[in-house]
Amino acid sequence: GVGRIANVSIPLLVVNSLDDPIAYPKCLGDDPRKVSTSGSGFTLLLITEKGGHVGWPVGMNPATTGWIWMSTIASSFVESVQRCMNG
């Protein structure tokens, strides 16, 4: 469930996919919306349909295209937080 996430006091991005065989969405509890409304509003929950356990590979050969989707999401989140903090 929500657990320690409810104590989050800094911006936190939680990214999970529905097809993750290890950290499956049920790890977030029966109602993932509770995660996104916990942590004093600092928690952003992003759940995708596919992605697996280790990143969200792009294209037919991730060795050439890399895991750019995951990197872009993380960078965008950090940049957005920074803009908000700077007013």
Side-chain angles (χ1 to χ4, degrees):
V2 174
R4 293 183 180 172
I5 292 177
N7 298 324
V8 168
S9 61
I10 60 171
L12 171 68
L13 174 63
V14 178
V15 184
N16 192 250
S17 69
L18 294 174
D19 68 344
D20 190 324
I22 297 170
Y24 51 94
K26 277 289 192 188
C27 292
L28 298 172
D30 292 328
D31 186 0
R33 291 174 292 187
K34 289 182 181 177
V35 172
S36 64
T37 58
S38 67
S40 300
F42 289 104
T43 307
L44 176 63
L45 180 60
L46 173 60
I47 299 178
T48 62
E49 184 176 340
K50 297 193 180 289
H53 180 66
V54 184
W56 284 253
V58 176
M60 295 299 289
N61 185 359
T64 59
T65 56
W67 282 258
I68 194 161
W69 184 87
M70 182 173 58
S71 300
T72 301
I73 292 298
S75 308
S76 295
F77 178 74
V78 171
E79 289 169 5
S80 295
V81 168
Q82 187 67 40
R83 277 194 304 270
C84 289
M85 290 176 65
N86 291 335

